[in-house]
């Protein structure tokens, strides 16, 4: 915006008036205030940038530490998942239950899957189970790899059909180890272990599956 000649003259007149009429102490005071404001603005800008850099560095360090802790925690969970299914299968109550059921199960059966919302008989004792995180789903399969019984830890979430049908490849990949896979577009951690008779024939297989969420 252009300043008119009249405005320029008025500004000059104001400056001349201040120089002639304003006492020296007041001039010094005004200059001190102006310089103080300028210095404060510069220091504030510098200090703000320094604080911002310090905050970002601390945040990056904290996030890196948290990421490392999360990776270690997840790694432990993956290992424990496999250990848990082995623990299930080696429990006496599991082998006793399977020995009784093996006499009932037949390849000619029209399978009606039995669902549990509470801890089934073939789970370890509660005193043992408390030391582990309970799996979301536990599937008990017969010697033919067909699902016979299912434990669901949450009432509002039913077992995915992809798990109930249990493809042989999933059973093979998860046997004896923790296996990460995708089921119905959701990442899952799956582990399975089999119970054998004295001749090395599979009597039953237990599969634990948990979605990777919170």
């Amino acid at each position: 915006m252009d300043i008119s000649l009249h405005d320029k003259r008025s500004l000059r007149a104001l400056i001349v008036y201040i120089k002639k009429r304003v006492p020296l102490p007041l001039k010094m005071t005004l200059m001190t205030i102006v310089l103080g404001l300028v210095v404060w603005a510069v220091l504030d800008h510098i200090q703000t940038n320094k604080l911002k850099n310090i905050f970002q560095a601390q945040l990056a360090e904290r996030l890196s530490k948290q990421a490392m802790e999360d990776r270690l925690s997840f790694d432990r969970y993956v290992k424990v998942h496999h250990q848990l299914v082995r623990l299930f299968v080696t429990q006496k109550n599991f082998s006793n239950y399977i020995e009784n059921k093996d006499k009932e199960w037949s390849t000619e059966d029209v399978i009606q899957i039995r669902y549990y919302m509470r801890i089934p008989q073939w789970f370890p004792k509660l005193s043992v189970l408390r030391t582990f995180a309970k799996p979301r789903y536990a599937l008990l399969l017969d010697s033919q790899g067909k699902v016979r019984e299912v434990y669901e830890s949450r009432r509002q979430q039913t077992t995915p059909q992809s798990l109930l049908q249990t493809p042989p490849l999933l059973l093979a990949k998860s046997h004896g180890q923790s296996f990460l896979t995708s089921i119905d577009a959701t990442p899952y951690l799956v582990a399975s272990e089999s119970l054998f008779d004295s001749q090395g024939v599979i009597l039953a297989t237990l599969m634990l599956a948990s979605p990777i969420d919170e």
Side-chain angles (χ1 to χ4, degrees), residues 89-181:
V89 174
T90 56
Q91 293 291 302
K92 186 64 176 175
N93 59 330
F94 183 83
S95 57
N96 289 341
Y97 186 84
I98 296 302
E99 287 174 5
N100 292 329
K101 284 294 180 181
D102 189 52
K103 299 174 184 177
E104 300 176 14
W105 293 341
S106 170
T107 55
E108 305 298 326
D109 289 345
V110 177
I111 299 175
Q112 296 291 330
I113 298 176
R114 183 177 181 181
Y115 290 89
Y116 298 89
M117 296 300 176
R118 295 184 179 180
I119 302 299
Q121 297 178 27
W122 37 272
F123 260 51
K125 295 180 181 179
L126 285 176
S127 58
V128 176
L129 196 59
R130 286 193 186 98
T131 60
F132 297 90
K134 286 192 297 184
R136 186 72 57 85
Y137 307 108
L139 295 84
L140 187 58
L141 293 75
D142 61 19
S143 58
Q144 304 301 313
K146 303 296 183 181
V147 177
R148 292 284 183 162
E149 301 182 8
V150 175
Y151 165 73
E152 298 174 335
S153 65
R154 298 186 182 181
R155 294 179 180 274
Q156 69 274 19
Q157 294 183 354
T158 57
T159 310
Q161 285 297 318
S162 301
L163 270 176
L164 293 177
Q165 295 169 1
T166 315
L169 181 60
L170 176 61
L171 199 58
K173 290 284 188 180
S174 63
H175 197 272
Q177 65 178 346
S178 295
F179 177 63
L180 291 171
T181 186

Side-chain angles (χ1 to χ4, degrees), residues 38-56:
V38 172
V39 172
W40 176 82
V42 172
L43 290 177
D44 181 67
H45 177 71
I46 295 173
Q47 192 70 14
T48 299
N49 286 336
K50 286 185 177 180
L51 290 175
K52 183 179 179 180
N53 292 335
I54 291 172
F55 173 76
Q56 289 178 342

